[in-house]
Amino acid sequence: MTLSEEDYIKAIYHLSEFNSKSVATNAIAEQMKTKPSSVTDMIKKLAEKSLVNYKKYQGVSLSEKGRLVALSIIRKHRLWEVFLVDKLNFSWDEVHVVAEQLEHIKSDALIDKLDAHLGFPKVDPHGDPIPNKDGVFTKSVKKLISELPVGSQGVCVGVNDSSAAFLKFLDKNKISLGDTFKILEIEEFDESVTISTRSGSIRISKQIATNLFLEIVDVE
Amino acid sequence: MTLSEEDYIKAIYHLSEFNSKSVATNAIAEQMKTKPSSVTDMIKKLAEKSLVNYKKYQGVSLSEKGRLVALSIIRKHRLWEVFLVDKLNFSWDEVHVVAEQLEHIKSDALIDKLDAHLGFPKVDPHGDPIPNKDGVFTKSVKKLISELPVGSQGVCVGVNDSSAAFLKFLDKNKISLGDTFKILEIEEFDESVTISTRSGSIRISKQIATNLFLEIVDVE
DNA sequence: ATATTATTTTAGACAAAACTAAAAAATTGT
DNA sequence: ACAATTTTTTAGTTTTGTCTAAAATAATAT
């Protein structure tokens, strides 16, 4: 597989991740920052190799073979992200670009050993699940803290309100994207939530809880 | 820099590492497993970018700029080799192929952090020195144990005699390529040598000492 | 010294992956 | 329903790195 082919497969995977229908040529062109005509050319090549299902003017979808290729690239990408953050002390938001290069390194032994070295992580630093060797993974869901029951656990991946005041609050309370939180208790009276963080547990108001997204795995 | 350009630069560096004269087109073609005509084409491109000094029919040599590019690739290659052996438990002889891919990853921050993570190693698992960011490195020399004075230290990188009997002896005494040895004592009477290994110290006969190569750094 | 051999370069072609411009098909608006 | 618009595909180039075949230069041998 060429580097370029792998990038197309990945793009098609991500574009069909949620709607699961066939993907438009234009959409791929936009994602890949290229022209629709180039996309058509590449799709034909991928169809030749039966990595995608393709009929003229009807868009494309990944074949089962293509889906497994996509998942193996995503597995590599996410494992490298864990490595960069956990072992090399990169921050949460710096790792994507480098991982885009590392994901194309071809060596099964390397990925197996990297996986073991990292302690077989289940999610990457953004809270996204890491597929196993056979492409199996637990889907994750992004939810507001206020929507979650006691006992839930997840990685903080986003905010609803990005006002300076709110970000300042987060900073003061040592809450950063990429942190793992667990819901310990929900106060019936005012719906404030107690969450555990690395540095202890804190109580946050309902208003805060409706502005913080957690990425949850294992919820099915 | 293209992947291909980087490979040519590296090939030219390695071919001129010892004789330091200009390198023949044919030699590069052989190293790169390609045809001389392709080499000429690429050399012209590298000359355009003033990475090499080139005059028709006269061979090529790296410019200072080219030499620094070569050393930065070699730095990356050797750091990754250390990572693969020290952190991922690859063995000595498995790492080269994977490192050939990893050396092309473009990110200064990555290499800096990898270097720190590995504890700023001076040599790779083969005993070859790792250039620093500015391309400075201590040359290494390959010598027989019998040629070295007491106090020398180096990585075992090769054998003179590769008979089954000799290799069996090495195995029995837990001597493997990639091990680091130090010369503790040389017995005047029979020129036998005591060396320290990871698992203690052993005495080897002169015959053994004239059949084991160490790669020595810092001898200059 | 010059004929023979070996090396290196040129010229012309090809495959991969992109592009532009134009044609074909599908979708949308009235 | 059909004209206008949008999307997709085709056709023909371009660039990068390779190739083969042939020409040019250098090295060698008698």
Side-chain angles (χ1 to χ4, degrees):
Chain A
M1 292 229 56
T2 325
L3 201 141
S4 196
E5 288 173 350
E6 289 191 351
D7 283 338
Y8 272 96
I9 292 285
K10 205 176 47 142
I12 296 169
Y13 179 88
H14 281 128
L15 288 168
S16 56
E17 197 171 356
F18 294 111
N19 60 359
S20 88
K21 301 283 173 191
S22 79
V23 178
T25 305
N26 263 0
I28 300 172
E30 196 178 340
Q31 174 93 4
M32 297 286 298
K33 285 171 184 169
T34 184
K35 304 292 164 182
S37 54
S38 309
V39 174
T40 303
D41 287 346
M42 179 55 88
I43 286 171
K44 282 180 183 168
K45 200 199 298 183
L46 296 176
E48 276 296 313
K49 301 191 178 184
S50 58
L51 291 160
V52 298
N53 308 117
Y54 172 58
K55 266 184 193 158
K56 274 190 189 181
Y57 296 100
Q58 311 262 114
V60 272
S61 60
L62 291 180
S63 68
E64 184 55 19
K65 190 175 158 195
R67 204 182 69 93
L68 289 174
V69 169
L71 287 170
S72 112
I73 300 167
I74 288 168
R75 169 173 164 77
K76 289 185 258 176
H77 182 102
R78 293 183 179 164
L79 283 172
W80 280 117
E81 286 196 339
V82 174
F83 169 72
L84 294 172
V85 168
D86 285 9
K87 302 294 183 181
L88 297 197
N89 295 113
F90 272 89
S91 80
W92 202 76
D93 49 324
E94 299 171 313
V95 296
H96 190 73
V97 186
V98 181
E100 294 250 274
Q101 294 182 64
L102 287 163
E103 73 191 5
H104 296 293
I105 302 290
K106 279 159 192 59
S107 166
D108 289 344
L110 174 64
I111 293 306
D112 289 350
K113 290 186 181 245
L114 182 65
D115 194 17
H117 180 233
L118 299 172
F120 307 103
K122 291 281 194 314
V123 293
D124 76 7
H126 307 83
D128 296 315
I130 299 173
N132 73 7
K133 268 196 246 192
D134 305 316
V136 178
F137 66 102
T138 47
K139 282 230 167 156
S140 70
V141 194
K142 193 172 146 189
K143 289 209 164 156
L144 289 170
I145 291 185
S146 56
E147 300 169 325
L148 293 165
V150 167
S152 316
Q153 186 176 323
V155 176
C156 182
V157 293
V159 296
N160 232 345
D161 169 359
S162 57
S163 69
F166 185 54
L167 296 178
K168 206 165 175 182
F169 167 87
L170 295 180
D171 191 52
K172 196 191 281 176
N173 287 277
K174 303 239 187 318
I175 292 174
S176 318
L177 296 188
D179 289 351
T180 297
F181 297 139
K182 190 171 180 177
I183 316 283
L184 296 179
E185 193 189 349
I186 300 171
E187 177 59 53
E188 261 187 72
F189 176 65
D190 62 354
E191 295 178 63
S192 66
V193 184
T194 308
I195 60 175
S196 70
T197 70
R198 238 175 318 159
S199 51
S201 68
I202 56 170
R203 160 160 302 191
I204 58 178
S205 69
K206 187 190 177 183
Q207 203 195 331
I208 304 292
T210 54
N211 274 309
L212 274 176
F213 282 107
L214 296 194
E215 185 98 35
I216 312 290
V217 179
D218 269 331
V219 209
E220 179 49 0
Chain B
M1 291 228 57
T2 326
L3 201 141
S4 197
E5 287 173 350
E6 289 191 353
D7 283 338
Y8 272 95
I9 292 286
K10 203 174 50 141
I12 296 169
Y13 180 89
H14 281 128
L15 288 168
S16 56
E17 196 172 356
F18 294 111
N19 60 359
S20 87
K21 300 282 172 194
S22 79
V23 179
T25 304
N26 262 1
I28 299 171
E30 197 178 338
Q31 175 92 4
M32 296 286 299
K33 285 171 185 168
T34 184
K35 304 292 165 182
S37 54
S38 310
V39 174
T40 303
D41 288 346
M42 179 56 87
I43 285 171
K44 282 179 183 168
K45 200 197 301 182
L46 296 176
E48 276 297 311
K49 301 190 178 184
S50 58
L51 291 160
V52 298
N53 309 116
Y54 173 58
K55 266 185 195 161
K56 276 189 186 183
Y57 295 102
Q58 311 263 114
V60 272
S61 60
L62 290 181
S63 68
E64 184 55 19
K65 189 175 159 194
R67 203 182 71 92
L68 289 175
V69 169
L71 287 171
S72 112
I73 300 167
I74 288 167
R75 168 173 165 78
K76 289 186 257 175
H77 182 102
R78 293 183 179 163
L79 284 173
W80 281 116
E81 285 197 341
V82 173
F83 170 71
L84 294 172
V85 169
D86 285 8
K87 302 294 183 182
L88 297 196
N89 293 114
F90 273 89
S91 80
W92 200 76
D93 49 325
E94 299 171 312
V95 295
H96 189 73
V97 186
V98 182
E100 295 250 275
Q101 293 182 66
L102 287 164
E103 73 191 8
H104 297 293
I105 302 291
K106 278 157 194 58
S107 166
D108 289 344
L110 174 63
I111 292 305
D112 289 349
K113 291 190 181 237
L114 182 64
D115 194 17
H117 179 56
L118 299 172
F120 306 102
K122 292 280 195 313
V123 292
D124 76 7
H126 308 85
D128 296 314
I130 298 173
N132 73 8
K133 268 195 247 190
D134 305 316
V136 177
F137 67 101
T138 46
K139 282 229 165 156
S140 71
V141 194
K142 195 172 145 188
K143 290 210 161 155
L144 290 169
I145 290 184
S146 55
E147 300 170 326
L148 292 166
V150 167
S152 315
Q153 184 174 324
V155 176
C156 183
V157 293
V159 297
N160 232 345
D161 168 0
S162 57
S163 68
F166 183 56
L167 296 179
K168 207 165 173 180
F169 167 87
L170 295 180
D171 191 50
K172 197 192 281 176
N173 288 279
K174 304 239 187 318
I175 291 174
S176 320
L177 296 187
D179 289 351
T180 297
F181 298 140
K182 188 170 182 178
I183 316 284
L184 295 180
E185 192 188 349
I186 300 171
E187 177 58 54
E188 263 188 71
F189 177 63
D190 63 355
E191 297 178 59
S192 67
V193 183
T194 308
I195 59 175
S196 70
T197 71
R198 236 175 320 159
S199 52
S201 69
I202 57 170
R203 161 160 299 192
I204 59 178
S205 69
K206 187 191 179 182
Q207 203 192 332
I208 303 293
T210 55
N211 274 308
L212 275 176
F213 282 107
L214 295 195
E215 185 100 34
I216 312 290
V217 179
D218 269 333
V219 206
E220 186 43 2

